[in-house]
């Protein structure tokens, strides 16, 4: 059951990154690709019916983490209290900017919320990437399995790190680049005319940068946490994830010129999923590595953090029911929202 719930949480977080990642990516490149008022309205309509629904996966992941691994939830959310509050404020800022922008035609009003939308989207990508970097690198767990991290210390990985160091900043940059690429491909899929061509242009510019940060990220991860390779050595089948990462990047480049924009976008989904699954495979069965002083505590593992058997059995029933409802909702919404957003459409969506 512990292994099952580990991969359920990993899959839900991957779903969040793939789904909400494209509308965060649209926000990051928003000011660069959408230059006129009609283009900006079209860009917002491309995510209008789905952006808030995409965030359901983040809430569902947090809820699942709470009942499946309560010790991890308590430890991580207390140790990362400051960045968690910052993420919540950024999510609120994005939602407010999307919803309030259209309430006035005043140019200053719309310019303010356009800038807020782009800034909050970029900072969210950086924060999420840095958060994943913290989990992979590890935290200084105490004997009581709690920890405290300042925002930064000496910018080095080691027994006294901060939330920000060279590795977690690299994670933030990687998230910024890859989600920008993901958003560019989605925008090309959903829009027409100049906006579509400009989004494709940005995708072509971002692709080699994504390749570069991916190449740099692999040895950086091994340096920051050498234990990441142990599972791959013990289970060679895990190498399917790095192979899928390479395949995803290659397919993005090969399909950028395809008349249908869908293959390139799906290739980006494959790339993001493989990156996250590969990170999870390198961690398993550890949930939160310990880099504190020797003897302070062990890594927080599945066995140490897992909830009781009855909770897991009952939770699996309700999780299955709730997830099927969510999948059904997503299928209906994305089916109704299929195709491109017309340039002359009004309001949200088509």
């Amino acid at each position: 059951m512990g292994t099952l719930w580990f991969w359920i949480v990993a899959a839900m977080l991957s779903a969040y990154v793939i789904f909400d990642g494209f509308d965060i990516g649209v926000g990051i490149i928003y000011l660069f690709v959408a230059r006129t008022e009609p283009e900006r309205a079209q860009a917002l309509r491309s995510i209008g019916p789905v952006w808030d629904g995409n965030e359901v996966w983040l809430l569902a992941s947090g809820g699942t983490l709470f009942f499946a691994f309560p010790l991890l939830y308590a430890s991580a959310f207390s140790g990362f209290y400051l960045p968690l509050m910052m993420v919540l404020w950024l999510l609120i800022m994005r939602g407010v900017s999307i919803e309030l922008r259209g309430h006035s035609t005043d140019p200053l009003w719309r310019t303010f919320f356009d800038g807020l939308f782009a800034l909050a989207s970029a900072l969210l990508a950086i924060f999420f990437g840095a958060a994943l970097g913290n989990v992979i690198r590890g935290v200084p767990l105490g004997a009581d399995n709690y920890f405290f991290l300042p925002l930064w210390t000496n910018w080095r990985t080691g027994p006294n790190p901060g939330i920000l160091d060279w590795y977690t900043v690299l994670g933030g940059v990687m998230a910024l680049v890859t989600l920008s690429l993901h958003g560019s491909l989605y925008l090309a899929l959903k829009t027409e005319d100049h906006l579509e061509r400009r989004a494709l242009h940005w995708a072509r510019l971002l692709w080699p940068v994504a390749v570069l940060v991916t190449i740099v990220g692999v040895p950086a991860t091994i340096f920051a946490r050498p234990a990441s390779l142990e599972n791959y050595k013990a289970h060679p089948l895990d190498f399917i994830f790095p192979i899928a990462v390479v395949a995803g990047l290659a397919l993005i480049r090969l399909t950028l010129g395809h008349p249908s924009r869908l293959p390139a976008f799906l290739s980006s989904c494959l790339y993001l999923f493989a990156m996250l699954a590969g990170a999870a495979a390198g961690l398993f069965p550890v949930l939160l590595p310990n880099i504190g002083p020797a003897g302070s505590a062990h890594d927080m593992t599945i066995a140490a953090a897992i909830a009781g058997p009855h909770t897991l059995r009952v939770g699996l029933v309700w999780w299955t029911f709730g997830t099927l409802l969510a999948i059904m909702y997503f299928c209906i919404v994305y089916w109704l929202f299929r195709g491109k957003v017309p340039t002359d459409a009004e309001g949200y969506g088509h």
Side-chain angles (χ1 to χ4, degrees):
M1 288 292 281
T3 300
L4 174 63
W5 281 109
F6 176 90
W7 286 107
I8 284 176
V9 172
M12 295 181 74
L13 288 172
S14 298
Y16 171 70
V17 172
I18 290 171
F19 283 104
D20 206 32
F22 69 69
D23 61 63
I24 290 176
V26 169
I28 297 170
I29 64 169
Y30 176 70
L31 295 179
F32 301 102
V33 299
R35 299 175 181 174
T36 65
E37 175 56 31
E39 288 178 350
R40 291 184 177 180
Q42 187 183 11
L44 288 174
R45 284 196 300 270
S46 73
I47 63 171
V50 297
W51 71 268
D52 48 355
N54 291 338
E55 293 181 354
V56 167
W57 292 106
L58 180 62
L59 298 174
S61 299
T64 303
L65 195 66
F66 175 72
F67 82 77
F69 303 107
L71 180 60
L72 173 64
Y73 184 92
S75 178
F77 276 63
S78 62
F80 292 129
Y81 184 80
L82 174 60
L84 175 62
M85 291 298 104
M86 297 171 76
V87 165
L88 289 177
W89 275 107
L90 290 170
L91 288 170
I92 292 169
M93 288 165 61
R94 281 188 83 244
V96 166
S97 61
I98 294 173
E99 294 292 343
L100 294 185
R101 182 189 185 275
H103 284 225
S104 174
T105 58
D106 182 83
L108 182 60
W109 175 275
R110 291 193 169 182
T111 299
F112 172 77
F113 284 112
D114 284 342
L116 187 64
F117 175 54
L119 177 64
S121 298
L123 290 177
L124 266 178
I126 293 170
F127 271 62
F128 284 139
L132 180 60
N134 273 271
V135 171
I136 294 174
R137 178 206 62 198
V139 297
L141 286 170
D144 57 358
N145 287 309
Y146 287 88
F147 65 94
F148 170 77
L149 284 175
L151 194 56
W152 68 79
T153 53
N154 55 11
W155 295 91
R156 300 176 183 175
T157 57
N160 297 299
I163 293 171
L164 299 177
D165 58 32
W166 68 266
Y167 179 68
T168 59
V169 169
L170 175 62
V173 172
M174 179 177 291
L176 181 69
V177 172
T178 55
L179 293 186
S180 298
L181 174 60
H182 195 47
S184 299
L185 295 171
Y186 176 80
L187 202 57
L189 173 68
K190 295 296 293 183
T191 58
E192 300 176 321
D193 299 333
H194 297 294
L195 189 54
E196 178 186 4
R197 289 192 292 271
R198 219 171 283 132
L200 276 178
H201 174 71
W202 271 89
R204 290 189 175 95
L205 292 177
L206 288 165
W207 181 82
V209 184
V211 172
L212 177 62
V213 295
T214 303
I215 292 173
V216 172
V218 172
T221 299
I222 296 171
F223 182 83
R225 186 172 180 268
S228 299
L229 283 178
E230 292 179 2
N231 280 352
Y232 285 93
K233 293 177 181 178
H235 308 285
L237 190 61
D238 288 345
F239 279 100
I240 192 173
F241 298 123
I243 292 171
V245 167
V246 174
L249 283 171
L251 286 171
I252 291 172
R253 186 65 187 87
L254 291 173
T255 55
L256 273 176
H258 195 279
S260 171
R261 310 307 180 194
L262 184 60
F265 176 71
L266 292 179
S267 300
S268 179
C269 295
L270 171 64
Y271 165 74
L272 290 174
F273 172 78
M275 286 286 286
L276 294 167
L283 282 172
F284 181 84
V286 174
L287 297 173
L288 195 60
N290 173 43
I291 56 171
S296 61
H298 299 291
D299 293 336
M300 186 179 295
T301 62
I302 292 174
I306 195 74
H310 176 73
T311 300
L312 297 177
R313 287 195 298 269
V314 174
L316 184 59
V317 174
W318 286 106
W319 177 88
T320 302
F321 177 71
T323 302
L324 289 175
L325 285 178
I327 291 173
M328 182 177 67
Y329 166 80
F330 269 72
C331 289
I332 293 172
V333 169
Y334 279 89
W335 173 255
L336 295 175
F337 191 51
R338 67 190 184 278
K340 290 183 176 290
V341 177
T343 54
D344 57 349
E346 295 183 0
Y348 255 179
H350 287 15

